[in-house]
Amino acid sequence: DTEVTQTPKHLVMGMTNKKSLKCEQHMGHRAMYWYKQKAKKPPELMFVYSYEKLSINESVPSRFSPECPNSSLLNLHLHALQPEDSALYLCASSRGGRGGTDTQYFGPGTRLTVL
Amino acid sequence: AQTVTQSQPEMSVQEAETVTLSCTYDTSESDYYLFWYKQPPSRQMILVIRQEAYKQQNATENRFSVNFQKAAKSFSLKISDSQLGDAAMYFCAYRSALAGTASKLTFGTGTRLQVTL
């Protein structure tokens, strides 16, 4: 089973709203990732959690706040977003390790629109 | 820093034919991993195939195979017997083997593949 789930599938929010994106995996993976993808572009890494600790933060604005409550769940809290933050947000997970088995498996994404 | 280049923004192939997507990369490392991901209109990134740099044998997954040329830093994807469901954006990606327990993927800019009847 290589399933990563993300909710919601679509989200429309105003610039003053607070919302959260959720990601879940039950593959026993210990690394989880958030990516942002603009149309016709490759995904851009935002955050990486390894063993529930933030291990990579790609200098993302503070209006994006990640949270990893446990090894299966990853949230992305959104506050005071800008219209340019509209994008597809992808979650991924991997076993967590140096080898080729540390392959990342992606969820279906959340399409975010900021008005 | 590593870079990944996909020089073909768009490709087209007829159903049942074979197509090859190109990918080159630049790295000073000797140990790394390479991946091809597919992103159909449904948006989900799906792993197609992966290659360990220390392996000389080219990876194969059913109709998908790679031509890995380590000295030339080339990693092309061949799709045989193309099907309508193969239509998607294809991303080539690099991951260092020197990375820690969770590692960053470096993606190319993607190649959009169209499959025609």
Side-chain angles (χ1 to χ4, degrees):
Chain A
D1 183 10
T2 56
E3 186 177 66
V4 178
T5 59
Q6 290 187 244
T7 55
K9 289 185 178 180
H10 302 274
L11 179 62
V12 179
M13 59 186 291
M15 289 190 286
T16 58
N17 292 156
K18 287 185 180 180
K19 296 286 185 183
S20 297
L21 309 184
K22 297 184 184 300
C23 175
E24 189 168 6
Q25 57 87 15
H26 294 289
M27 296 179 278
H29 289 174
R30 302 308 298 271
M32 297 187 77
Y33 309 75
W34 278 116
Y35 288 86
K36 174 183 177 180
Q37 187 180 24
K38 301 287 269 185
K40 300 184 180 180
K41 298 289 187 181
E44 299 174 8
L45 185 65
M46 301 174 72
F47 303 103
V48 180
Y49 273 84
S50 178
Y51 292 82
E52 294 96 69
K53 292 184 179 179
L54 185 64
S55 66
I56 298 177
N57 179 341
E58 292 286 298
S59 301
V60 176
S62 60
R63 57 186 183 267
F64 295 92
S65 175
E67 178 196 19
C68 190
N70 58 57
S71 60
S72 300
L73 292 173
L74 183 67
N75 299 321
L76 186 63
H77 302 297
L78 314 172
H79 174 55
L81 294 192
Q82 303 298 309
E84 60 264 29
D85 296 322
S86 298
L88 179 68
Y89 288 82
L90 293 166
C91 174
S93 72
S94 69
R95 189 175 297 186
R98 291 179 177 268
T101 53
D102 192 39
T103 298
Q104 292 182 29
Y105 296 93
F106 287 80
T110 293
R111 174 73 66 191
L112 174 67
T113 302
V114 182
L115 300 176
Chain B
Q2 296 81 24
T3 59
V4 178
T5 301
Q6 294 179 248
S7 59
Q8 306 153 315
E10 292 190 6
M11 294 283 285
S12 183
V13 63
Q14 282 192 319
E15 200 177 16
E17 296 297 307
T18 296
V19 65
T20 298
L21 308 185
S22 301
C23 173
T24 59
Y25 57 93
D26 188 28
T27 183
S28 59
E29 298 173 343
S30 60
D31 198 12
Y32 48 86
Y33 302 91
L34 297 165
F35 305 85
W36 279 98
Y37 282 91
K38 164 186 176 182
Q39 189 175 37
S42 65
R43 309 172 322 196
Q44 184 155 6
M45 295 277 284
I46 301 166
L47 176 69
V48 175
I49 200 165
R50 64 178 169 226
Q51 174 80 43
E52 291 87 346
Y54 63 84
K55 289 186 178 179
Q56 292 186 339
Q57 186 173 5
N58 289 325
T60 299
E61 286 287 343
N62 300 314
R63 299 183 294 109
F64 298 88
S65 61
V66 299
N67 184 3
F68 174 49
Q69 301 290 327
K70 190 172 184 179
K73 296 180 182 175
S74 171
F75 182 61
S76 61
L77 175 69
K78 185 172 82 171
I79 306 173
S80 304
D81 186 25
S82 296
Q83 301 175 359
L84 293 177
D86 295 332
M89 179 73 90
Y90 286 80
F91 290 100
C92 179
Y94 171 103
R95 180 175 75 81
S96 170
L98 298 177
T101 56
S103 50
K104 180 177 179 177
L105 284 173
T106 300
F107 286 95
T109 51
T111 296
R112 181 165 300 282
L113 178 66
Q114 291 185 318
V115 181
T116 59
L117 294 172

